[in-house]
Amino acid sequence: MDKNVDHLDREILKALQLDASLSQRDLAEQVGLSQNACWRRLKALNEKGILKGSTARIARQKLGLDLVVFVMLRTRHHSADWLMQFRRHVLTIPEVVDFHRIGGDYDYQLKVVTEDMARYDQVYQRLIAGVELDSVTSYFAMETIAEARPLPL
């Protein structure tokens, strides 16, 4: 962790991970700072790139986004040009909510969130149409036990 991030900064980050909609006054009160001191710390955390905007966590099931698929990809291609094309292609697919290059038996892991199997098949068809892949293996989540948990600060 950044040496310039102290205990109070970590407390601010923990509080914001749980509820980024806290007012600055409530956040300052929760972490035991004055509003001005809290504002200065928030500004510094933003300037360091530690805070990267704020987003809302959405109950995906309430919007009918019931299917979560972990897609494992293997490729024979590892050139810089192929990689750039592949990244651009995957990032055009909005249902891909997480995208990682990984070590082990596979090269990439995607997390896809969509309504149902028919919609996932459309995502799959779009994925394989854009670039040459060696193998695509899909794992379907049966139950979500924990999702988007706060970082361990």
Side-chain angles (χ1 to χ4, degrees):
M1 185 169 290
D2 187 322
K3 293 176 188 174
N4 297 321
V5 176
D6 65 11
H7 173 72
L8 287 171
D9 289 335
R10 281 192 293 279
E11 291 303 311
I12 289 170
L13 294 169
K14 286 179 190 177
L16 290 175
Q17 284 187 101
L18 295 175
D19 185 359
S21 70
L22 284 171
S23 70
Q24 195 172 31
R25 181 177 43 154
D26 290 342
L27 177 61
E29 186 176 302
Q30 188 170 327
V31 299
L33 290 171
S34 70
Q35 264 189 272
N36 284 339
C38 186
W39 177 82
R40 283 191 300 274
R41 285 176 176 270
L42 285 170
K43 184 175 183 229
L45 290 167
N46 274 292
E47 288 170 354
K48 292 176 187 175
I50 295 169
L51 276 177
K52 298 170 69 172
S54 67
T55 59
R57 291 186 303 172
I58 298 171
R60 62 177 172 72
Q61 299 92 334
K62 293 198 183 260
L63 296 173
L65 297 171
D66 295 321
L67 185 63
V68 176
V69 185
F70 297 95
V71 183
M72 310 303 289
L73 304 170
R74 192 176 293 126
T75 181
R76 290 186 191 114
H77 305 282
H78 297 282
S79 72
D81 288 342
W82 184 90
L83 178 59
M84 188 181 338
Q85 177 190 357
F86 175 63
R87 287 180 180 190
R88 270 197 312 262
H89 174 64
V90 170
L91 292 174
T92 67
I93 303 171
E95 293 86 357
V96 175
V97 298
D98 290 323
F99 179 20
H100 302 275
R101 185 169 59 88
I102 60 174
D105 290 337
Y106 294 96
D107 298 308
Y108 299 92
Q109 178 185 19
L110 312 178
K111 180 180 177 185
V112 174
V113 175
T114 191
E115 296 91 349
D116 54 28
M117 189 62 72
R119 182 69 182 129
Y120 172 67
D121 186 50
Q122 293 172 3
V123 171
Y124 171 81
Q125 296 298 328
R126 184 172 176 194
L127 176 66
I128 63 171
V131 291
E132 184 182 342
L133 297 166
D134 187 38
S135 71
V136 179
T137 303
S138 301
Y139 296 96
F140 302 95
M142 303 289 288
E143 175 186 15
T144 298
I145 297 166
E147 191 170 51
R149 295 180 64 205
L151 295 174
L153 302 175

